[in-house]
Amino acid sequence: MTLSIIKPGLLTTIQDLGRSGFQKHGVIMSGAMDSRSLRLANLLVGNEESEAALEITLVGPSIKFEQDALIAIAGGDLSPSINQHPVPMYRQIYVRKNSVLSFGPVKSGCRSYLAVSGGFLVEKVLGSKSTYLRANLGGYKGRPIQTGDVLAVGEGLLKDQIRKEDGPSGFIANQWAISTRFYKRKDPTIRVIAGPHFEQFSECSQKAFFQQPFRVTPKSDRMGYRLSGASLTLKKPLELVSEAVHFGTIQVPPDGNPIVLLADRQTIGGYPKMAQIVAVDIPVVAQLKPGEKITFKQVSIDEAEQLLLKFENEMKELRAGILIKHLIQ
C-alpha cells in the first residue's frame, strides 16, 4: 500500500520513539516530540506503540491514499479532513482508495501524528526509523517529506476489516474513541524536578522560575525551546564539565533565558541545569507553539515516578481495551 504526497506541509517527518542506546557514541536520539500521541495513534490502528508515524507540524500536508487504509490521527488538532469532510481524532478511520487527507487551521497544539496500519516501510538506521534532519539520518531519505514522495506502508493487521460501505466522504470513523483523560490536562502547569544546579541560582531566580510565566520564542525547534521571561542568574560563576542531558532538561545559558531540550537535543551539555520536566508532561510541552506561555511547578522525584507509573498503568488498560475492540470488530 502506498501514500502519495500532494503537498508536504511545513515540516512533516517520519518519527518513532527514537534511536536509543547510541547516545554514548554521540548519536542524537530524535523520535517523536509528543511520544504519547504517537503511541495512542499506533494503538488505534493495531501497530506496535513504537512504530513510526508521520509527525505533522503546524501546517499539514495533503496525502492521497492509493489503496484502502486504516489510519488514526492524534496530538494537536490541525483540522484534518478527507475529501473536504472533517475527520475526528483519536478514532479508527477507514479510508477509501483515492481519497485525499488534508489539514486546515490549527485549533489546538502544533503537532499531529498520523499512524497507518502496517507502519511505514522505511529502513531502520541504528534500530530506528526516526528522522534526524541535521544529519540526513533515518526516516524517508533523511529529510522532510516533499511533494511527489511515495510512502510505502506494510500489510496492516486490520486490512480485511475495512468496511465496503461508505458515503461520499470516502471514509468511515468508528463510533468509539480514546477518552480525553489520556491526552488532556485541566491544569496546563508543567511539573518539574529541581535540577542538580538549582541551588546555585540566586534566590530571586529560584522564585521567579516557579512564580512567573515564560514564553516560547520563535527561535525554537525540535532540538529545544528557547524561553523568554525573567532572567535567571547564578549566585556566582560556575565552571562545569559537560555531562549527559535528557529529554526535558532545562538548561540556562549565560544570557539567563532557559532552554528546554527536546527530541533532537545534543547528547551532552555544559550549561547549568535548572530543572528536569517530568516524563508525563513532556508531551504537553511538545504541543506548545511559539508565543505561548509556560509555567512550572516543582514536584519530588517520588511524585514524578508515581505520575509515570499511573500513566503507564492506564496505557496498559487502554491497550487491552483496544485489543478487545479489534477482536470483536
Side-chain angles (χ1 to χ4, degrees):
M1 199 268 280
T2 56
L3 311 180
S4 297
I5 306 302
I6 301 171
K7 293 181 181 179
L10 178 64
L11 177 62
T12 305
T13 59
I14 292 177
Q15 302 291 346
D16 55 22
L17 292 182
R19 193 165 280 108
S20 59
F22 299 95
Q23 292 185 84
K24 62 185 178 181
H25 302 298
V27 178
I28 304 300
M29 190 167 179
S30 296
M33 288 277 280
D34 178 355
S35 60
R36 176 185 301 163
S37 294
L38 178 136
R39 292 172 67 183
L40 292 174
N42 275 321
L43 280 175
L44 281 168
V45 298
N47 293 341
E48 293 293 328
E49 292 176 45
S50 59
E51 183 56 71
L54 286 183
E55 181 178 89
I56 298 162
T57 307
L58 288 173
V59 179
S62 293
I63 302 172
K64 182 179 179 181
F65 291 82
E66 303 295 348
Q67 287 85 28
D68 293 348
L70 174 64
I71 69 168
I73 303 171
D77 186 349
L78 309 186
S79 302
S81 65
I82 292 177
N83 300 335
Q84 301 183 343
H85 295 268
V87 174
M89 299 181 61
Y90 295 97
R91 292 190 186 186
Q92 291 180 339
I93 308 293
Y94 297 89
V95 185
R96 273 302 185 199
K97 177 180 178 180
N98 294 325
S99 294
V100 176
L101 170 68
S102 57
F103 295 81
V106 178
K107 292 182 178 179
S108 66
C110 69
R111 292 180 173 87
S112 277
Y113 292 84
L114 169 64
V116 183
S117 186
F120 290 98
L121 296 180
V122 295
E123 183 180 356
K124 286 187 176 182
V125 179
L126 299 177
S128 171
K129 297 179 181 180
S130 285
T131 310
Y132 177 44
L133 296 174
R134 284 186 170 89
N136 298 118
L137 184 71
Y140 186 82
K141 300 181 180 181
R143 59 166 172 77
I145 301 305
Q146 297 178 3
T147 298
D149 288 344
V150 177
L151 306 180
V153 176
E155 182 175 332
L157 297 176
L158 307 178
K159 71 181 183 67
D160 294 329
Q161 296 185 21
I162 296 178
R163 304 174 187 179
K164 294 182 179 180
E165 74 278 7
D166 64 11
S169 61
F171 72 93
I172 296 174
N174 265 2
Q175 293 302 308
W176 58 271
I178 292 177
S179 170
T180 56
R181 71 185 178 92
F182 288 98
Y183 57 88
K184 281 191 177 181
R185 276 184 54 201
K186 294 180 180 179
D187 181 4
T189 303
I190 302 303
R191 294 163 291 194
V192 301
I193 303 164
H197 307 119
F198 180 79
E199 295 297 333
Q200 303 301 317
F201 286 87
S202 68
E203 185 176 344
C204 288
S205 295
Q206 293 177 26
K207 290 181 178 179
F209 183 72
F210 292 116
Q211 294 177 357
Q212 298 184 29
F214 292 84
R215 191 179 299 275
V216 179
T217 74
K219 294 182 179 179
S220 298
D221 55 22
R222 281 179 45 87
M223 184 175 181
Y225 278 3
R226 293 181 177 271
L227 308 180
S228 64
S231 181
L232 306 178
T233 58
L234 295 164
K235 293 176 181 176
K236 60 182 181 180
L238 285 178
E239 289 189 12
L240 300 174
V241 176
S242 292
E243 57 186 17
V245 293
H246 308 281
F247 205 158
T249 295
I250 302 177
Q251 291 188 315
V252 182
D255 66 6
N257 294 313
I259 302 172
V260 181
L261 300 183
L262 299 172
D264 285 349
R265 65 199 177 278
Q266 69 274 24
T267 57
I268 59 173
Y271 293 140
K273 300 178 182 65
M274 186 74 168
Q276 173 67 42
I277 297 173
V278 303
V280 296
D281 283 0
I282 291 175
V284 182
V285 176
Q287 292 294 346
L288 292 174
K289 298 182 287 292
E292 292 188 329
K293 292 182 179 180
I294 182 172
T295 55
F296 299 106
K297 173 185 177 182
Q298 186 173 2
V299 297
S300 67
I301 293 178
D302 287 343
E303 288 175 300
E305 289 177 344
Q306 290 303 313
L307 288 168
L308 182 58
L309 285 172
K310 179 183 177 183
F311 171 71
E312 291 299 339
N313 285 332
E314 289 176 341
M315 286 292 287
K316 286 182 181 179
E317 294 177 6
L318 178 64
R319 191 180 306 123
I322 291 177
L323 178 60
I324 293 172
K325 291 286 188 181
H326 288 168
L327 292 174
I328 64 177
Q329 283 180 348

